[in-house]
Amino acid sequence: MVESQTISTDKARSMAVDDLYQALSSGQGGLGQSEAESRIRKFGPNEIVEKEESEILKFFRYFWGPIPWMIEAAVIISAIIRHWEAFAVILALLLINAIVGFWQEHQAGNAIAMLKKRLALEARALRDGKWQKIAARDLVPGDIVRVRNGDIIPADIKLVEGDLLSVDESALTGESMPVEKHTSDIAYSGSAVKQGEMTALVVATGEKTFFGKTARLTEEAMTASHFQKAVIRIGDYLIVLAIVLVTIVFIVSLFRQESVLDTLQFALVLIVAAIPAALPAVLSITMAVGATALAKKEAIVSKLVAIEEMAGVDILCSDKTGTITENKLTLAEVAPFEGFNDDDVLLAAILASREEDQDPIDIAIIGSKEAQDLKDRLKAYTVTKFKPFDAVVKRTEATVHDSDGREFSVAKGAPQVILALAGGGKDLDEAIDRLSETFAKKGYRVLGVARSDTPGTWVYVGVLGLHDPPRADSAATIKTAEEMGLDVKMVTGDHVAIAREVAREVNLKTNIVTAEAFLGKHDDEAAEAVEKADGFAEVFPEHKYRIVSLLQSRGHTVGMTGDGVNDAPALKKANVGIAVAGATDAAKSAAAIVLTKPGLSVIIDAIKESRRIFQRMDHYVIYRITETINVLFFIALAILIFGFFPVTALMIVLLALLNDIPIMTIAWDNVLYSRSPEEWEMRKTLTLATLMGITGVTASFLLLAIARGPLHLDFGVVQSFVFLKLMVAGHLTIFVARTRGPFWSVRPGSALLWSTIGTKAIATLIVVYGIGVTPIGWPLAILVWIYSLIWEFGIMDPVKIYTYRLIDHTGIQFAR
């Protein structure tokens, strides 16, 4: 084969198709697989190579910023005053935070990369003379591709065969109206096909495309959610609180004429212990682990913010077809009109269908038992031209030649669309209405069939009844959804009677309304009508956007499913847009979650998992605030009131270091999902955490009094004694904070349990044997353990339970 050239999109626009074939060493038969592989090596994959930051620079970035600066200052001061033990441990804290943060960012990046791979675009290409579905990244200049309604155009292409494409280029040019494309026009990578189907020649790929890149489904994958922003605000609040208290301690210490460097070192490490240094790592790993868990549930997260939003969804607007029903249409009934019989209707419907498009209606007709009986008769006909279904004309149409050379046309589509095409009197109109109503009450979808023997003149042949039965698990899944506080509203373009019959079969309420219930009405009136409705029928995709908007105006968090290119606006508008299994590329690009398995149960599983993720993050926030109040206020007040440091700077650093390790494992903790939609309630969280923190401060002061009073411990022993209490009790607080009921009500995850036990054991050995601190021996260590266990589980846990009863009047329940 002649060596292919590189052709720019601009140059390809002005070239004739035949000249372009020659320049690209291609033809109508496309490329061979071996030639395509050779071109991939020459031109590279059809993707944009992202400029990745150096791994070394990423690592060193963890040593830059307010938190690392404070730790680094503490390291320098420790060296200056020759506190080498503190120097070594603080330096270890700095390195461990950097290593763990870098590793978790790396792991989160890998998780997102895996999701991108799962969501990668596919293309239909002609390779080795056969149409094949391949990854869009494997396309090369010279490939022949087929694009149709709902596709994201995978590369810059020259249209070579077909009537027209209506292409949405708004994401690329800002032009809101679709652009018509005809043979010899260029269609750009990343634009969405709104209507039509055409064959095209790939002229540019990857970075050579006119707009520089294909559609990126995961472009917002790392966007911070409302929950993440709220948690970060809490972190900022804790930092400010720590700085204020430590400043007061520092000033008082200076008035007491204590060593400036010693006090400064202590102040810095106290801030380090108080601030949530592990916050970024906890957020990233929890979200990444959550996204991976959702992927295992067959729900691919393209925008991580959806994890939070999905936990709060209270209204789910669900497609009927393929979500509540099986999307496996079967031919249920044939009704011919006067002058025709069943075979005439079925024959015309088969000829107006095309198997290679894999359209569910076409497959149901072609694959029916009745169609198999007509195989011999079908051999006498040849389809010479075919117009696929699109959302504008709402019908398919074929031009056919019979064995005698006669030409005729057939069409199938919505019954009223075929009636408008064929015309007819009042009797035919009434007959179609009666049949539609009768079929709809049986749950059948009605399809009209027409034939034209004379150009421009059509005759209505008859109608078909197609049945799409509910999925076996739909009724049980809907019951589960209702128990979870979800209001499931069916949204379908089918007849109201069909929607009501399906709703009845799956135990949904049957107050199904049409778009007339909210169109043309004042917003308040329309919103009330939409909120009260149990579902919507005979709606167009543009109505879905209005439904979502009205529900959101009433304060609801809305999940919306969709699969078509025209569903994209509603999917973007919804709090959580869900592209169902088999959705078009355009719908996937607009959705926050993409399902790879059909059925409503996948969505419910994803909501359960999102609520679990929300609970883990909530538990982390409660623990972090509680522990900061406990450590910060106890140490600051002890210094201000009693005039001595209850723990050393080294102990504070050890406390921060050993605390951060187990809390990161909260991402894998066992939690119960809420039976109600989640929402971030800062007031309740702060109230609970503050009371738990005050309880911890009280426990610390009481133990300090015991150490200085009845036990008469030396100053160094008191510090080690108090340090072990802060260490053991702090970790036990994790187990208290992670449940609403008694601490034993939910078994902790293995990683959380064993990492907590391990770090407490290390802290115990340090103080028992005096590794860098004053030794206290086993009897005092056992006393601290018993005291901490009694106080945390016997006092703080009941305080938590009682506080929840006071502040939470919603009666929230949890389930596994």
Side-chain angles (χ1 to χ4, degrees), residues 35 135-136 146 184 240 247 313 356 391 399 443 493 590 645 655 677 789 810:
E35 173 64 18
R146 189 80 175 165
S184 294
V240 171
T247 301
V313 167
E356 54 262 40
T399 302
F645 295 96
L655 186 66
L789 286 166
T810 58

Side-chain angles (χ1 to χ4, degrees), residues 255-327:
F255 273 112
R256 292 173 179 170
Q257 297 184 341
E258 294 168 354
S259 168
V260 174
L261 286 177
D262 282 349
T263 303
L264 182 59
Q265 182 208 34
F266 190 87
L268 285 171
V269 296
L270 184 56
I271 292 174
V272 169
I275 59 180
L279 175 62
V282 172
L283 281 173
S284 63
I285 191 173
T286 303
M287 288 298 184
V289 168
T292 304
L294 287 173
K296 291 177 181 176
K297 303 281 187 182
E298 305 295 336
I300 310 300
V301 179
S302 64
K303 300 174 180 70
L304 283 183
V305 294
I307 292 176
E308 173 209 339
E309 295 285 5
M310 200 160 196
V313 167
D314 63 324
I315 291 182
L316 177 62
C317 294
S318 172
D319 259 356
K320 176 182 71 68
T321 305
T323 305
I324 294 175
T325 64
E326 291 184 355
N327 196 21

Side-chain angles (χ1 to χ4, degrees), residues 738-753:
R738 58 180 293 278
T739 64
R740 284 181 175 243
F743 69 91
W744 67 81
S745 58
V746 182
R747 180 177 59 84
S750 297
L752 179 64
L753 177 64

Side-chain angles (χ1 to χ4, degrees), residues 34 96 115 233 251 594 605 614 647 652:
S34 60
I96 288 173
L115 294 180
R233 282 199 302 271
I251 293 172
V594 179
D605 284 344
F614 191 98
V647 288
I652 293 176

Side-chain angles (χ1 to χ4, degrees), residues 389-715:
F389 178 88
D390 67 58
V392 178
V393 299
K394 291 185 170 56
R395 70 173 189 269
T396 63
E397 187 177 322
T399 302
V400 185
H401 283 83
D402 63 18
S403 55
D404 296 328
R406 288 189 296 254
E407 182 180 272
F408 63 95
S409 298
V410 289
K412 73 177 193 312
Q416 296 303 323
V417 169
I418 298 300
L419 179 64
L421 179 69
K426 182 180 179 182
D427 291 343
L428 181 59
D429 195 1
E430 290 176 351
I432 291 171
D433 284 344
R434 284 195 303 272
L435 278 170
S436 296
E437 192 69 32
T438 301
F439 280 15
K441 287 179 179 178
K442 297 178 182 179
Y444 297 167
R445 183 173 179 176
V446 186
L447 196 69
V449 181
R451 173 175 173 139
S452 172
D453 292 302
T454 305
T457 303
W458 290 86
V459 179
Y460 216 131
V461 179
V463 297
L464 303 176
L466 301 173
H467 184 46
D468 181 15
R471 295 178 60 85
D473 62 348
S474 287
T477 302
I478 287 169
K479 183 179 179 182
T480 300
E482 291 172 346
E483 290 171 351
M484 291 169 60
L486 279 172
D487 182 5
V488 180
K489 297 180 184 290
M490 182 194 300
V491 182
T492 178
D494 278 345
H495 194 283
V496 171
I498 296 176
R500 286 175 179 158
E501 174 60 21
V502 172
R504 185 190 62 76
E505 291 181 23
V506 297
N507 297 324
L508 277 174
K509 295 175 183 176
T510 56
N511 179 27
I512 310 292
V513 301
T514 66
E516 293 178 359
F518 56 85
L519 291 180
K521 294 185 177 180
H522 187 273
D523 284 353
D524 289 341
E525 185 182 357
E528 185 176 0
V530 167
E531 189 177 39
K532 288 182 177 179
D534 299 322
F536 309 92
E538 300 178 30
V539 296
F540 295 120
E542 53 268 29
H543 297 150
K544 290 185 177 182
Y545 184 95
R546 178 71 169 150
I547 290 168
V548 171
S549 181
L550 290 170
L551 288 171
Q552 289 174 333
S553 72
R554 304 285 280 194
H556 295 289
T557 302
V558 184
M560 169 64 79
T561 67
D563 60 358
V565 62
N566 290 332
D567 290 332
L571 294 177
K572 285 184 177 179
K573 176 66 176 172
N575 299 89
V576 182
I578 305 166
V580 298
T584 61
D585 290 335
K588 290 177 183 177
S589 68
I593 291 183
V594 179
L595 306 183
T596 57
K597 176 182 172 184
L600 189 62
S601 62
V602 187
I603 302 173
I604 303 306
D605 284 344
I607 291 175
K608 289 178 182 177
E609 192 61 41
S610 292
R611 292 185 184 180
R612 290 188 184 101
I613 294 164
F614 191 98
Q615 284 296 313
R616 292 184 185 110
M617 293 307 304
D618 191 43
H619 297 162
Y620 167 73
V621 170
I622 293 170
Y623 163 76
R624 185 64 262 182
I625 298 174
T626 300
E627 190 60 9
T628 297
I629 290 173
N630 182 12
V631 173
L632 191 61
F633 276 82
F634 167 66
I635 295 175
L637 290 175
I639 294 170
L640 294 173
I641 296 171
F642 299 114
F644 73 93
F645 295 96
V647 288
T648 66
L650 173 62
M651 291 173 181
I652 293 176
V653 176
L654 282 171
L655 186 66
L657 178 63
L658 295 174
N659 266 346
D660 282 353
I661 294 171
I663 198 60
M664 289 183 187
T665 64
I666 203 166
W668 291 276
D669 190 24
N670 294 325
V671 292
L672 306 181
Y673 67 84
S674 171
R675 288 286 193 180
S676 303
E678 297 280 17
E679 60 179 318
W680 179 234
E681 297 180 290
M682 181 74 76
R683 182 185 60 82
K684 291 182 180 180
T685 299
L686 285 174
T687 300
L688 175 66
T690 300
L691 288 175
M692 289 173 63
I694 290 171
T695 305
V697 172
T698 305
S700 298
F701 271 113
L702 182 58
L703 188 69
L704 178 61
I706 293 171
R708 298 185 67 195
L711 296 179
H712 300 293
L713 301 178
D714 292 339
F715 181 66

